Amino acid sequence: MPVARIQVLISSLFSQRFSAYLPELLEQEGLHFARTERVPHPLEVDLLIRASDAPTLSEAEVAFLMAGGRLLAFALEQGPAGAARPLPPGHARIDGERLRFFEGRALPGADHAHGEAGEPRAPLVQELRVGAGTLLHLSVDVADTVVRLQQGHGPVERDLPSAPDGSAETEDGLLKADDGMTLDWLEDRRLTPGGQPYFAVAAADRWRRWLLQEIVRAVSPLPVARLAYWPAAAPAAFHLSLDSDGNDPAHAASTLAFLAGLGLRATWCELEGGYGPELQRAIHAAGHEVALHYNALEREGGRWGGDAFAAQLERHNAQAPARATSNKNHYTRFEGWDELFAWCDAGGITLDGTRGGSKMGNRGFVFGTCHPYRPARADRSGARHALFELGFLSQDMDLDAARWGDSSITGPLLSEVEAVSGCAHLLCHPAHLHAHAPVRDALEAALRLARARGFLELTACEIAAWSRARRATRLTPRAGGLQVSGAPQGAVLELLRVGSVRQIPLETPDSFVSLAQEAPHA
Ligand SMILES: [Zn+2]
């Protein structure tokens, strides 16, 4: 077989954790894998990954191991040699960064171990011989950790206590996305070169990429097949969204001219009424995207509710040159768990950008990610929403440095985005681009840096369309190679081995990629 055969074992026997969200992580990584609900024979698969939080191995899983299978499992309560030791919440050290986790379990009796997690230190990866097979045990449930970083421990129902240093007043009587943040004000922030605290590490993205590394290691020397993150295997993406607060046509006109000068297209999120049909047509005609800026702010007459969302979307669509396919909530208003995503799905919204910080001191990777992802539903079944969420990292830099933050964050943000091959989603208000030269200068400087590093510029609907098409591409192993079906334009096949990546651009949607020369090597 030219590439590793990886299967994900789905089970709904137990669902205390978000373990069943694992396929989302692997789809984000563009990985070629199959799902199964039954334990296969060891000869059918090179690695079986258990997307379940059942506390002990099943009889079928033990039989699979005894017969020589290789099984990857997360945070078991009971292993082949006895009960696990629980790990308190802490950080794991991965690729030089400290990544937050919320719970973990280390098994006794490992033959080999690597990595470290928690205090006192426990191994992150344990290898246990079971019969003729190998159990790879990860002491942290990566899928559950990623959901908690991206979406929180539970629904947003109250304000998050403010940052103790006064840099981010989340306790402001308004329920917003950042009230669901699970990172720690003291332990998870760093200072920008300008001395402003921010969430520096894309922890969810790094957890996911580390899991992929462990999968590559587990099936070595066979290569793992996947599709590169972005078209033409660009190193990262850049996305600008604009919020129309004030709806002043003069702000839109000057912003349109400013962006034309930069050669940058943006996603314009418009509050009720927007800039009016004529300007909307001009924005649309210039290659930008017109989108919704849902207003649930009570003091402006907005309301949090599915009917209010649908009504604002309908009025927007009745006037706009094209139906809105993306949204961001005004003020990042947010409540509950995934109600917003359900409203978006029902209204044809394919990408939402609401999840970002709202203060100077909670910029950066507040939710641990700069990748588009399909949010988990509340029931822990592994079910996901159809839309993609892509949070923003900073807004209106250099408008009012003490309140909104300065542009000294730009370099560190873009470096972390590049390190995880993500998307730098920045937010500006045309009102501030219009009135404040420093805001324009900060955006221009960020764009210049992103361009120098080869970031690909995309609108929200382009990101959603690409993400959907990339995930829908089928890779089917055939004798001597891989049959590719339905690859979007710009797709690049990657063969991952420990320490190396081979990239193969796919010139047509359907093609056979010969891997006859891909003799396994260590
Ligand atoms: Zn707004």
Side-chain angles (χ1 to χ4, degrees):
M1 196 53 61
V3 298
R5 297 161 306 169
I6 297 165
Q7 291 193 17
V8 174
L9 180 61
I10 310 284
S11 158
S12 56
L13 283 177
F14 210 77
S15 51
Q16 297 294 306
R17 306 193 304 243
F18 284 99
S19 312
Y21 189 70
L22 185 75
E24 170 63 21
L25 275 58
L26 303 185
E27 285 179 21
Q28 276 189 281
E29 289 301 312
L31 196 69
H32 162 61
F33 70 99
R35 280 155 228 262
T36 179
E37 290 180 9
R38 63 157 193 102
V39 177
H41 187 276
L43 291 177
E44 296 172 38
V45 61
D46 299 302
L47 179 68
L48 182 63
I49 308 177
R50 188 181 192 257
S52 149
D53 62 348
T56 58
L57 297 177
S58 68
E59 274 179 34
E61 288 166 344
V62 172
F64 172 82
L65 285 165
M66 294 299 290
R70 185 166 275 262
L71 175 68
L72 193 159
F74 302 91
L76 289 166
E77 283 180 25
Q78 188 79 31
R85 172 167 69 87
L87 311 183
H91 293 87
R93 190 160 281 284
I94 291 176
D95 294 335
E97 294 290 356
R98 292 169 73 245
L99 305 188
R100 163 75 58 192
F101 69 90
F102 307 100
E103 58 176 303
R105 293 194 185 85
L107 290 178
D111 299 290
H112 299 283
H114 64 270
E116 57 184 60
E119 202 61 57
R121 280 178 199 171
L124 196 49
V125 184
Q126 302 176 292
E127 222 176 293
L128 292 88
R129 297 294 301 173
V130 181
T134 303
L135 171 65
L136 287 164
H137 183 251
L138 273 52
S139 56
V140 171
D141 185 333
V142 178
D144 185 66
T145 305
V146 163
V147 172
R148 288 163 183 261
L149 287 166
Q150 290 177 171
Q151 292 181 253
H153 295 309
V156 170
E157 291 165 339
R158 60 186 67 84
D159 269 340
L160 180 77
S162 299
D165 62 358
S167 62
E169 199 173 327
T170 45
E171 239 171 334
D172 57 1
L174 275 180
L175 294 182
K176 299 179 306 311
D178 54 15
D179 291 313
M181 179 189 84
T182 53
L183 291 174
D184 188 273
W185 292 124
L186 300 177
E187 294 182 359
D188 293 316
R189 289 190 301 174
R190 264 182 225 159
L191 296 180
T192 67
Q196 299 195 316
Y198 77 114
F199 291 97
V201 178
D205 295 334
R206 284 179 176 266
W207 271 117
R208 205 182 57 242
R209 288 163 60 94
W210 171 78
L211 175 63
L212 179 63
Q213 280 176 37
E214 289 302 318
I215 291 170
V216 169
R217 184 200 295 261
V219 300
S220 180
L222 286 171
V224 168
R226 68 105 165 239
L227 292 181
Y229 293 109
W230 300 107
F238 183 91
H239 171 58
L240 174 68
S241 64
L242 303 169
D243 293 358
S244 78
D245 300 25
N247 282 344
D248 185 331
H251 301 164
S254 68
T255 297
L256 200 50
F258 172 61
L259 294 181
L262 296 180
L264 175 65
R265 296 169 307 126
T267 295
W268 299 58
C269 303
E270 291 194 337
L271 283 174
E272 187 95 61
Y275 293 121
E278 200 177 317
L279 266 168
Q280 282 180 330
R281 277 196 297 275
I283 290 167
H284 186 69
H288 301 272
E289 179 188 358
V290 178
L292 182 67
H293 196 34
Y294 167 49
N295 189 356
L297 197 62
E298 287 79 359
R299 66 170 182 249
E300 293 181 5
R303 197 164 52 75
W304 181 261
D307 54 341
F309 180 91
Q312 289 183 29
L313 178 60
E314 196 182 313
R315 288 193 288 270
H316 175 95
N317 285 340
Q319 170 184 295
R323 292 180 63 82
T325 59
S326 63
N327 170 65
K328 185 190 313 99
N329 289 1
H330 184 44
Y331 258 76
T332 68
R333 272 282 282 123
F334 195 91
E335 291 182 30
W337 178 261
D338 61 350
E339 291 86 334
L340 171 69
F341 306 134
W343 306 338
C344 285
D345 282 348
I349 298 294
T350 60
L351 188 140
D352 173 79
T354 298
R355 296 185 70 75
S358 66
K359 306 286 184 286
M360 178 274 276
N362 67 0
R363 295 189 296 160
F365 305 90
V366 183
F367 300 104
T369 182
C370 56
H371 276 261
Y373 65 93
R374 288 194 152 137
R377 291 182 184 271
D379 62 9
R380 291 171 169 73
S381 68
R384 293 166 276 161
H385 288 277
L387 90 165
F388 294 95
E389 174 64 28
L390 177 66
F392 62 90
L393 306 176
S394 184
Q395 45 179 307
D396 299 310
M397 294 183 288
D398 291 341
L399 171 63
D400 172 349
R403 192 154 172 227
W404 302 112
D406 66 28
S407 56
S408 69
I409 198 173
T410 303
L413 274 189
L414 264 53
S415 292
E416 180 67 0
V417 168
E418 190 176 12
V420 298
S421 308
C423 178
H425 175 187
L426 302 184
L427 188 171
C428 285
H429 292 79
H432 302 319
L433 288 170
H434 174 83
H436 302 274
V439 178
R440 294 194 293 275
D441 293 345
L443 174 61
E444 187 170 354
L447 179 64
R448 206 179 310 123
L449 186 58
R451 284 179 172 167
R453 295 182 182 193
F455 286 30
L456 189 65
E457 293 150 38
L458 298 168
T459 64
C461 66
E462 289 167 350
I463 290 169
W466 162 259
S467 301
R468 208 170 35 226
R470 170 179 177 257
R471 287 168 180 238
T473 306
R474 288 186 305 285
L475 305 176
T476 313
R478 297 244 186 281
L482 269 181
Q483 180 64 45
V484 179
S485 319
Q489 198 179 356
V492 175
L493 178 69
E494 294 189 333
L495 297 175
L496 310 182
R497 286 194 171 86
V498 176
S500 80
V501 182
R502 185 183 158 207
Q503 295 186 323
I504 304 167
L506 301 170
E507 310 293 350
T508 56
D510 305 308
S511 57
F512 179 78
V513 179
S514 172
L515 302 175
Q517 306 307 314
E518 287 289 324
H521 59 262

